[in-house]
Amino acid sequence: PAAPHEPAGSRARHNSLERERREKLAGAMARLRGLVPSVAWQDSCTKQRVVDAAAEYIQRLRDDLAQAQSAVDSFAASRGALAAAAAAAAAAPKKRKRKATPTTAPPQQPSGAPHPAGYQVPPNYVIHRKLQGHKRSVSCVRFSNDGEKLVTASADKTLIVWNANGGKKDTVLEGHTRGINDVCWLNMSSKLCSVSDDSTLKIWNSNKASPMLSLSGHESEVFCVCSHPLAQQVITGGNDKSVRLWDVSVGKELLKLPGHSFLITSVAMPVDGSLLATSSLDGLVRLWDLRSGQCTRGLVGDDCNPAVTTLQFSPNGKFLLVSTLDSTVRLWDHMQAKCIKKYEGHTNRNFCITSTFSTTSGKWVVSGSEDNKAYLWNLQTREVVQTLEDHKDAVITLACHQTQDLIATGCLSKDPVVRLWKHKPRR
């Protein structure tokens, strides 16, 4: 009597096994797609496309591995040749040294002798003004291109434009519906671009309280922005792992770049606009050619690739300053893809904290810190030459004036008062 029910039972078991097989296959394809950069950012993708992209990616990895192995073999051969040369030199007969002829000892350097190479008279920044206006964390401070204005952005959803010299509040800009993460001045103009947790970027005239233009396209919070130095364009990065290029003169998205697997933390361009640098919590720094939309190279350190929080090109565009969540600021020669200096002493393990260059009273590297201070290092010697101490919470943003000895600093919500620091020459 049970025989008639066996086919139905078999079908049920078969359907269950088939569902389980399909779920495992879907999960495997999703994991595979997440590992392949060219398809990880796409919302939908066929299985065949994923497989083909994975095959291409594996082949690229194999090619890279082959190149790396070739470099290792070349290095081993060079090291063997050096070892052989050293052994031959050690086996050669030693020449008898002649007795040194007594000479007059060189005169000792007087106490006023020049300092070692790289030495600079330490800076002496003191509080110049306190700018009160925000009610929550100050997320960004930026001096205008002509140095006359300072804009500050906050989690309280407002921007405030200040007179950089007098400290007077000029304009309060309101329009975002959630906290503002970053702001930049557009190329040689009085216009601003801000980005926010409300997933929009807004264009402002710094003299008007309401935005001129609001642009949408990011699928979640927009975290960072920079302006193109030669065009009316901005580049943004967000929590949707994408980097986007916008033409703000017509309000249009021009390009979308994939390439990172986590939140985009910073975007930056050198003064000649020749390339774009992007960073992410995935620990990678990528350099892009915006004309082709291709990633030209990446910067990978010798350590465990800590999360990257901010980027800043040097004034001459040859170097890139990179802040990471291991309490280190690194200076990269991006053309050689080589880290040449490290600056340490501050604390940065939880927040995206700005670092930048100061070139007015000396050549310094400047960074905020989670111990409520800002740190200044000698660019060449890497020594901490001053700490700025007055804030009551973590200093997460700062900016250095282009021509004057001014530094602006802002911090988290326990102390939403912006400080202006001015260099006072030592006597």
Side-chain angles (χ1 to χ4, degrees):
H5 298 284
E6 287 181 355
S10 298
R11 284 195 298 272
R13 287 193 298 273
H14 173 75
N15 291 340
S16 176
L17 291 172
E18 179 63 16
R19 281 196 301 270
E20 183 178 353
R21 185 188 69 82
R22 291 185 179 183
E23 290 172 357
K24 288 182 178 179
L25 178 60
M29 294 300 296
R31 289 192 296 274
L32 180 61
R33 189 175 70 178
L35 293 172
V36 181
S38 61
V39 295
W41 58 274
Q42 297 183 7
D43 296 330
S44 60
C45 193
T46 64
K47 294 178 183 178
Q48 188 59 45
R49 171 60 183 145
V50 173
V51 172
D52 292 343
E56 294 173 2
Y57 184 55
I58 290 171
Q59 186 58 47
R60 286 200 302 271
L61 292 177
R62 287 175 176 169
D63 294 342
D64 292 344
L65 180 60
Q67 292 178 3
Q69 186 61 49
S70 176
V72 170
D73 294 343
S74 177
F75 174 76
S78 300
R79 187 174 62 177
L82 288 173
K94 297 181 179 179
K95 293 183 179 180
R96 190 175 180 180
K97 293 183 179 179
R98 294 183 178 180
K99 189 176 181 179
T101 304
T103 57
T104 304
Q108 294 184 351
Q109 286 188 337
S111 59
H115 292 282
Y119 175 84
Q120 301 177 73
V121 176
N124 184 35
Y125 281 90
V126 297
I127 291 181
H128 179 54
R129 298 186 190 280
K130 293 186 179 183
L131 309 181
Q132 300 187 24
H134 289 297
K135 299 176 182 178
R136 297 184 64 187
S137 301
V138 178
S139 54
C140 184
V141 294
R142 293 281 187 271
F143 286 105
S144 60
N145 299 310
D146 60 8
E148 295 296 320
K149 304 289 185 181
L150 173 72
V151 63
T152 59
S154 172
D156 64 9
K157 303 180 284 189
T158 68
L159 299 159
I160 301 179
V161 179
W162 311 79
N163 183 297
N165 294 310
K168 179 184 176 182
K169 185 189 299 184
D170 286 348
T171 317
V172 178
L173 312 180
E174 297 180 291
H176 282 292
T177 58
R178 296 183 66 185
I180 300 172
N181 292 315
D182 201 3
V183 62
C184 68
W185 294 87
L186 300 189
N187 172 38
M188 301 306 293
S189 76
S190 61
K191 296 178 182 178
L192 297 160
C193 178
S194 60
V195 295
S196 165
D197 280 349
D198 63 13
S199 304
T200 69
L201 55 151
K202 298 187 186 297
I203 309 302
W204 313 77
N205 185 319
S206 61
N207 299 318
K208 303 291 180 64
S210 300
M212 304 167 53
L213 182 66
S214 182
L215 300 175
S216 300
H218 280 282
E219 298 169 6
S220 58
E221 298 89 345
V222 192
F223 197 76
C224 52
V225 62
C226 74
S227 64
H228 195 297
L230 304 177
Q232 290 297 299
Q233 298 174 351
V234 296
I235 301 94
T236 58
N239 199 22
D240 59 2
K241 309 172 191 177
S242 72
V243 175
R244 300 173 190 243
L245 173 66
W246 308 79
D247 185 335
V248 297
S249 63
V250 296
K252 181 181 179 182
E253 180 182 321
L254 302 178
L255 184 65
K256 177 182 176 182
L257 302 175
H260 289 285
S261 56
F262 288 94
L263 163 74
I264 309 298
T265 55
S266 187
V267 289
M269 295 191 77
V271 291
D272 62 1
S274 58
L275 71 159
L276 168 70
T278 63
S279 67
S280 169
L281 293 182
D282 61 13
L284 299 178
V285 175
R286 295 188 184 275
L287 299 171
W288 305 80
D289 181 346
L290 284 180
R291 292 169 297 182
S292 64
Q294 297 297 314
C295 177
T296 58
R297 58 190 173 278
L299 305 182
V300 180
D302 297 331
D303 36 29
C304 59
N305 289 344
V308 183
T309 59
T310 58
L311 302 170
Q312 178 69 51
F313 278 98
S314 61
N316 62 11
K318 295 181 179 180
F319 303 97
L320 191 63
L321 200 62
V322 179
S323 294
T324 51
L325 287 182
D326 60 348
S327 299
T328 305
V329 178
R330 292 170 172 81
L331 183 66
W332 286 81
D333 180 337
H334 61 82
M335 295 299 296
Q336 302 296 325
K338 181 179 179 182
C339 177
I340 57 177
K341 292 184 185 294
K342 293 182 180 181
Y343 305 91
E344 299 173 314
H346 65 308
T347 304
N348 184 15
R349 298 195 177 276
N350 299 297
F351 304 111
C352 289
I353 291 180
T354 305
S355 62
T356 188
F357 297 92
S358 175
T359 58
T360 49
S361 64
K363 293 183 178 179
W364 321 117
V365 169
V366 191
S367 174
S369 178
E370 292 167 13
D371 60 5
N372 306 350
K373 304 173 187 177
Y375 283 71
L376 285 80
W377 292 267
N378 182 306
L379 175 65
Q380 297 298 333
T381 67
R382 297 171 294 166
E383 297 175 311
V384 176
V385 290
Q386 189 181 1
T387 57
L388 309 183
E389 304 180 28
D390 189 65
H391 284 288
K392 305 300 187 294
D393 209 340
V395 179
I396 60 171
T397 181
L398 52 82
C400 297
H401 198 281
Q402 299 92 318
T403 58
Q404 300 181 39
D405 296 331
L406 282 177
I407 298 176
T409 57
C411 72
L412 292 179
S413 57
K414 291 182 181 178
D415 183 12
V417 178
V418 175
R419 268 72 162 177
L420 280 179
W421 307 77
K422 189 171 185 178
H423 176 64
K424 183 179 181 181
R426 300 178 187 273
R427 295 182 178 179

